[in-house]
């Protein structure tokens, strides 16, 4: 039995947790170690047994506590070399952290309990990646993480189609972003650009292209508190094929609560 939860997701911090037989991985650490611990405790989970940290890219809302957790718990951080180099340039306390540079498309079995692979996402940060993760004892329980991408690629559809669960970005509603007077034009263009973030319609396009049969759960993540709402995401979801919706459970992860704990058997 595997457990998966989004600890929290949004522009103020992103973190997810994959667990199997008392061992676990973190995917991103965009909030303090204390906050991650507290949120996991509220879900009946713990960082005890953590085997590694997978970082999608070196923006602060995805990696702020990675070095701290690595130092304190003695676990490695896995990320692409360009992302690690950017992290070092930002003067994170990396001297005691344990790093492994991963490459796109290669399968890694470094941790005792998990297999994972990184693949490219289209984002304005060097070495940005999505991940496919499987527990070694339950390889059929594959989880795909695709956040912080401005474009959809065919391989993303393929990876999600072969997964039991997927965490997919649904960052913004195009009208809310366009009409947001707090955001300067350059920021709006960055968010909506091909190297920015998926809007709700694009997220549903990705879901609608998934081959039916394997995928059981989808969590929409990295939802903007300024430019999106749960209601708007579900409104877009209502437009896709009913058969797809019948076979899959859907949830929108929040910044404050994250997602439910999913049991994959």
């Amino acid at each position: 039995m595997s457990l998966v939860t989004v600890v929290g997701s949004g522009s103020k911090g992103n973190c997810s947790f994959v667990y199997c037989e008392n061992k676990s991985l973190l995917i991103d650490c965009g909030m303090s170690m204390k906050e991650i611990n507290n949120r996991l405790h509220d879900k009946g989970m713990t960082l005890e047994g953590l085997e590694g940290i997978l970082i999608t890219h070196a923006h602060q809302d995805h990696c702020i506590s990675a070095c701290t957790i690595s130092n304190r718990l003695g676990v490695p951080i896995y990320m692409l070399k360009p992302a690690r180099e950017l992290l070092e340039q930002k003067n994170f306390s990396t001297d005691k952290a344990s790093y492994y540079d991963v490459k796109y498309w290669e399968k890694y079995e470094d941790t005792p309990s998990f297999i994972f692979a990184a693949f490219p996402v289209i984002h304005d940060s060097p070495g940005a990646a999505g991940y496919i993760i499987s527990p070694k004892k339950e390889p059929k329980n594959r989880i795909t993480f695709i956040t912080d991408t401005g474009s959809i690629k065919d391989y993303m559809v393929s990876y999600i189609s072969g997964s039991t669960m997927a965490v997919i970005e649904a960052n913004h509603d195009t009208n809310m972003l366009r009409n947001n007077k707090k955001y300067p034009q350059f920021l709006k263009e960055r968010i909506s650009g091909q190297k920015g973030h998926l809007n709700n319609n694009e997220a549903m396009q990705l879901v609608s292209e998934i081959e039916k049969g394997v995928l059981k759960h989808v969590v929409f993540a990295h939802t903007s508190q300024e430019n999106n709402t749960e209601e708007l995401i579900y409104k877009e979801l209502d437009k896709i094929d009913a058969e797809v919706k019948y076979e899959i459970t859907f949830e929108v992860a929040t910044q404050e609560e994250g997602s439910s704990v999913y049991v994959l058997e």
Side-chain angles (χ1 to χ4, degrees):
M1 180 180 68
S2 303
L3 304 177
V4 183
T5 189
V6 176
V7 180
S9 188
S11 59
K12 296 179 181 177
N14 296 272
C15 180
S16 296
F17 186 76
V18 178
Y19 171 96
C20 184
E21 295 192 359
N22 299 316
K23 303 298 180 183
S24 59
L25 291 176
L26 283 173
I27 299 85
D28 285 335
C29 300
M31 54 192 75
S32 70
M33 183 177 179
K34 180 179 179 180
E35 183 68 17
I36 293 170
N37 262 321
N38 289 342
R39 292 188 182 206
L40 286 175
H41 181 267
D42 290 343
K43 295 172 183 279
M45 308 169 100
T46 174
L47 285 176
E48 185 177 346
L50 186 69
E51 292 187 345
I53 304 164
L54 309 186
I55 297 297
T56 59
H57 62 291
H59 285 165
Q60 181 170 299
D61 59 324
H62 293 262
C63 64
I64 188 68
S65 66
C67 297
T68 299
I69 296 173
S70 175
N71 293 343
R72 292 185 183 177
L73 300 185
V75 298
I77 301 170
Y78 297 91
M79 60 197 308
L80 272 81
K81 183 178 179 181
R84 173 180 57 79
E85 291 174 341
L86 181 58
L87 202 66
E88 291 170 347
Q89 291 172 17
K90 291 182 176 181
N91 295 319
F92 281 78
S93 52
T94 60
D95 54 329
K96 295 180 181 178
S98 174
Y99 283 96
Y100 285 85
D101 292 339
V102 302
K103 297 179 180 179
Y104 291 136
W105 313 117
E106 293 189 8
K107 183 170 71 174
Y108 291 87
E109 301 185 36
D110 301 66
T111 67
S113 305
F114 298 91
I115 302 169
F116 65 89
F119 58 88
V121 294
I122 317 305
H123 196 50
D124 58 355
S125 184
Y131 286 99
I132 311 166
I133 303 166
S134 296
K136 290 181 179 178
K137 293 185 178 180
E138 299 178 4
K140 65 181 179 64
N141 285 334
R142 193 163 87 169
I143 309 104
T144 296
F145 292 85
I146 300 179
T147 61
D148 292 75
T149 187
S151 304
I152 299 168
K153 299 297 181 182
D154 288 344
Y155 57 80
M156 297 178 183
V157 177
S158 176
Y159 290 156
I160 293 174
S161 296
S163 297
T164 310
M165 179 174 175
V167 178
I168 301 172
E169 177 171 60
N171 178 258
H172 61 280
D173 172 76
T174 52
N175 288 327
M176 282 191 71
L177 178 63
R178 185 185 304 116
N179 297 323
N180 189 336
K181 295 181 180 180
K182 299 178 184 177
Y183 279 37
Q185 186 60 31
F186 80 87
L187 182 56
K188 294 179 182 181
E189 291 175 358
R190 174 192 171 267
I191 292 169
S192 62
Q194 292 191 346
K195 294 185 178 181
H197 298 274
L198 293 184
N199 63 46
N200 294 344
N201 181 265
E202 291 166 331
M204 300 314 151
Q205 176 189 337
L206 181 54
V207 170
S208 67
E209 293 178 7
I210 294 167
E211 295 181 16
K212 297 183 288 294
V214 178
L215 185 66
K216 301 300 180 186
H217 309 289
V218 169
V219 176
F220 295 114
H222 213 300
T223 300
S224 170
Q225 293 179 298
E226 296 282 344
N227 302 303
N228 212 350
T229 66
E230 274 192 62
E231 290 75 16
L232 287 171
I233 293 173
Y234 284 120
K235 185 177 180 180
E236 285 296 321
L237 182 62
D238 284 340
K239 298 177 183 178
I240 70 172
D241 186 88
E243 188 175 354
V244 173
K245 291 186 290 184
Y246 179 78
E247 293 185 355
I248 302 170
T249 69
F250 293 93
E251 182 181 6
V252 178
T254 66
Q255 186 72 79
E256 295 81 9
E257 303 292 336
S259 76
S260 305
V261 176
Y262 289 83
V263 180
L264 310 183
E265 296 180 310

